[in-house]
Amino acid sequence: MGEKLSKFIRLPKNLWAILIVAAVLVGVLLSIFGLWDRKNQNGDYITANVERGTVKVTVSATGTLQAVITVQVGSQVSGTVSWLGADFNSHVKRGQLIAKLDPALFQTQVENARANVTNAQAAVQAATVEISNQRANLLAAKANMEVARVQRDDAIALVKRYQELKELVSSRDLEAAQAQANAGAGRYEQAGAQVVQAQAAINTAQAKLEQAKASLAQARAQLEQAQVNLAHTIIASPIDGIVVSRNVDIGQTVAASLQAPTLFVIADDLTKMQALAAIDEADVGQVHEGMPANFTVDAYPGENFMGRVTQVRLGAQTQQNVVTYTAVIEVANPELKLRPGMTSNVVLPVAQRDNVLNVPNAALRFKPNLSEKDQQELAERLKARGEKLPSDLQQEQPAGSQVRQEGQGRRPSSADGGQRPGFRAMPGRAGTTGGGPRRQNQTVWLLSQGKLEPRSIRTGITNGRVTEIVSGDLHQGDAVVIGQNESASGSRPATTPGQPRPPGFGGFGGPGGGGPRR
């Protein structure tokens, strides 16, 4: 028959051998699949062992690397770049010339201001001469006033003499003498007015002199300002360091109208770096100055860099209703591997317990779904030992669930490394791996000889995967329940061979659970 079939279907012998081996492998795989499926059906509970080890709680955050001191070198005046003395990665010294602007316009302003100073100096000199002239006029007016006074007094004396000799002097002579006396008095008053006028002219000249001096001071200030602007066309490095960024080229025009444009960015010392990490407001209380920190950067995968927190800034940053605080982490960079602007993934150790018993977090969240008969039997066993049924024992399984797994029926919290209600994920969002101690008094379930046994324990810190056991009737190697098959409750029959299993069934990755997500 085989020969007839081989004659009818002509295939190479080696291909027939490959087909036969493939058929055998398919049969073996189907057998293994059926046995494993039966094993999953017969196992009502999924367990994990109580282990002893280290529980470490950390705060995770992302940050940006930068030099400890970074200076942005700008220009206070507008102009065209005519010369550059530094480029990217150039090492510069304090006071070293790194750029020049075209000084022609500012040189013209200096010459104009200098001419204004000269003009103001001439005005001061002219005002000084005017004061001298007015003082001379005042002296002449005072001399005329003295002459007029003498003439007036002589005329008055003559009138008195004629009045004494009026019997010998004609009335005409007396009248002429009186007229002469009155004229002398008038000339004296006129000379006095001229003295006052000369004094007023002196005061006016002095005021002009003060005005000229003020104009001179203003012109000198404008000259100094023009000279300062001319000096600003020469740009020097303010510190010793390395040029991180250069933002201009020769021939480019910079405008310093509202703010100084940045020409260069100079880092002081790249062997000392700092990471600015954004710490979530829920975790900032656990971060303090002096605590160690380690972080990684994408440029060197697998390599950890060590640092130390030197400052936790009080100012809050709010973006999309997420509040973070900046932690400054200083790190040594002797090999210059770290560069400004790199994104750092920071991990801050908050708490650590060594050589302690721990259980997966799924065991703390597990609540058995027992039938009324199983629950009654459990209550009788506990009553015989003088114990009570746990008050938080779940009465029935929620409809529509195939397998009870880690995280079902429970809202994620920051203590499990999850998100709080209303939390919106953001790039660079900080988070705690763990989140500190859980609710201390809790119940876990052990599987002893196929039956559930509750154990009350007191828990400590958690890292989001396992939780420390502070006290309780648990020992290393005990099997704690972290999940339950639906067939254990008796409310719905388990799947039979040949039927498709629930999505993700049996996908508990290790002791920590990690079953299918909703």
Side-chain angles (χ1 to χ4, degrees), residues 346-370:
V346 183
V347 177
L348 303 171
V350 174
Q352 181 173 335
R353 302 289 188 271
D354 297 323
N355 195 26
V356 295
L357 291 177
N358 58 80
V359 295
N361 288 355
L364 301 176
R365 294 192 292 268
F366 172 74
K367 300 297 181 294
N369 185 19
L370 301 177

Side-chain angles (χ1 to χ4, degrees), residues 384-395:
R385 298 200 302 262
E387 301 176 5
K388 294 182 179 180
L389 192 68
S391 58
D392 56 351
L393 181 62
Q394 184 174 340
Q395 297 296 331

Side-chain angles (χ1 to χ4, degrees), residues 143-159 175-194:
N144 293 333
M145 182 177 178
E146 183 64 20
V147 172
R149 184 186 67 78
V150 171
Q151 292 177 352
R152 183 200 62 180
D153 293 344
D154 181 66
I156 293 174
L158 182 61
V159 170
E175 291 176 357
Q178 185 64 43
Q180 189 66 27
N182 293 338
R187 285 193 296 270
Y188 177 76
E189 292 179 358
Q190 183 180 6
Q194 290 176 351

Side-chain angles (χ1 to χ4, degrees), residues 506-518:
F508 297 90
R517 298 182 179 179
R518 292 183 177 179

Side-chain angles (χ1 to χ4, degrees), residues 138-394:
L138 177 61
L139 293 176
K142 287 182 178 180
N144 293 333
M145 182 177 178
E146 183 64 20
V147 172
R149 184 186 67 78
V150 171
Q151 292 177 352
R152 183 200 62 180
D153 293 344
D154 181 66
I156 293 174
L158 182 61
V159 170
K160 291 181 178 179
R161 182 67 176 171
Y162 281 178
Q163 287 178 350
E164 293 176 353
L165 301 174
K166 60 181 179 179
E167 295 178 356
L168 301 176
V169 177
S170 64
S171 57
R172 177 59 184 167
D173 293 336
L174 181 60
E175 291 176 357
Q178 185 64 43
Q180 189 66 27
N182 293 338
R187 285 193 296 270
Y188 177 76
E189 292 179 358
Q190 183 180 6
Q194 290 176 351
V195 170
V196 173
Q197 184 178 5
Q199 185 64 49
I202 291 176
N203 295 336
T204 302
Q206 288 179 342
K208 290 181 179 180
L209 176 61
E210 296 299 326
Q211 183 179 3
K213 289 181 178 180
S215 299
L216 176 60
Q218 184 178 4
R220 286 175 176 172
Q222 293 176 350
L223 175 60
E224 292 178 358
Q225 181 180 0
Q227 290 174 341
V228 170
N229 290 338
L230 178 62
H232 284 163
T233 60
I234 301 176
I235 300 171
S237 173
I239 60 172
D240 296 341
I242 184 171
V243 177
V244 177
S245 175
R246 175 177 62 82
N247 301 325
V248 293
D249 293 306
I250 295 178
Q252 183 175 345
T253 301
V254 295
S257 56
L258 299 179
Q259 61 181 2
T262 300
L263 308 183
F264 298 89
V265 177
I266 301 178
D268 179 25
D269 186 5
L270 292 183
T271 60
K272 297 178 181 179
M273 301 286 288
Q274 64 182 9
L276 303 182
I279 308 298
D280 181 59
E281 60 176 329
D283 305 323
V284 71
Q286 307 176 72
V287 180
H288 56 83
E289 295 181 4
M291 67 185 306
N294 62 83
F295 62 90
T296 60
V297 294
D298 294 339
Y300 305 101
E303 183 174 356
N304 287 327
F305 298 89
M306 302 301 298
R308 187 168 298 275
V309 178
T310 59
Q311 186 183 49
V312 181
R313 295 176 179 173
L314 298 178
Q317 306 292 330
T318 304
Q319 294 183 359
Q320 298 182 2
N321 297 328
V322 177
V323 181
T324 59
Y325 293 85
T326 301
V328 181
I329 302 170
E330 289 193 356
V331 57
N333 186 31
E335 300 179 0
L336 300 180
K337 287 185 175 181
L338 301 177
R339 302 185 180 187
M342 283 185 172
T343 300
S344 58
N345 302 310
V346 183
V347 177
L348 303 171
V350 174
Q352 181 173 335
R353 302 289 188 271
D354 297 323
N355 195 26
V356 295
L357 291 177
N358 58 80
V359 295
N361 288 355
L364 301 176
R365 294 192 292 268
F366 172 74
K367 300 297 181 294
N369 185 19
L370 301 177
S371 63
E372 295 182 1
K373 179 181 178 181
D374 293 338
Q375 188 171 340
Q376 185 176 1
E377 291 179 358
L378 176 60
E380 292 175 355
R381 292 202 310 271
L382 295 178
K383 184 178 181 181
R385 298 200 302 262
E387 301 176 5
K388 294 182 179 180
L389 192 68
S391 58
D392 56 351
L393 181 62
Q394 184 174 340

